[in-house]
Amino acid sequence: MKQNITLSLDKDLIKKSKIIAAQRETSVSKMLSDELEGLIQRIEQYELAKRKALANLKKGFHFGGKITASRESFHER
């Protein structure tokens, strides 16, 4: 479902955006919509990657090998 919104933009910005939109054979509205969709998609992908990375860090990594000493033995004084 589409819904209209009202934006307040600098006149120079509007003028330049109309020129770019005409060069791309699209509308300013479509350009803004595409940019917002891209921004939201990048943020969602980042958040997903962040959650996966934090879950991996919490789980930890096993790189093989065997632990032969205890943690306490490394910290004896």
Side-chain angles (χ1 to χ4, degrees):
M1 178 179 86
K2 294 192 179 226
Q3 182 176 342
N4 291 333
I5 64 169
T6 302
L7 297 172
S8 295
L9 301 172
D10 182 69
K11 285 185 180 187
D12 192 45
L13 180 63
I14 294 170
K15 183 178 177 181
K16 290 178 182 180
S17 65
K18 285 181 179 181
I19 293 169
I20 293 170
Q23 290 170 342
R24 295 181 180 184
E25 298 180 353
T26 189
S27 66
V28 173
S29 180
K30 177 70 172 144
M31 278 191 342
L32 287 171
S33 177
D34 291 347
E35 288 298 318
L36 284 172
E37 283 181 24
L39 174 65
I40 290 167
Q41 184 179 27
R42 287 189 302 275
I43 290 170
E44 288 175 345
Q45 288 173 346
Y46 173 82
E47 290 299 324
L48 177 62
K50 180 179 167 184
R51 283 194 302 273
K52 286 181 179 180
L54 290 172
N56 284 336
L57 287 173
K58 193 171 189 174
K59 185 174 81 171
F61 297 95
H62 181 63
F63 297 109
K66 191 187 293 185
I67 299 173
T68 58
S70 68
R71 184 175 192 277
E72 290 76 26
S73 66
F74 287 117
H75 296 282
E76 289 177 357
R77 293 185 184 209

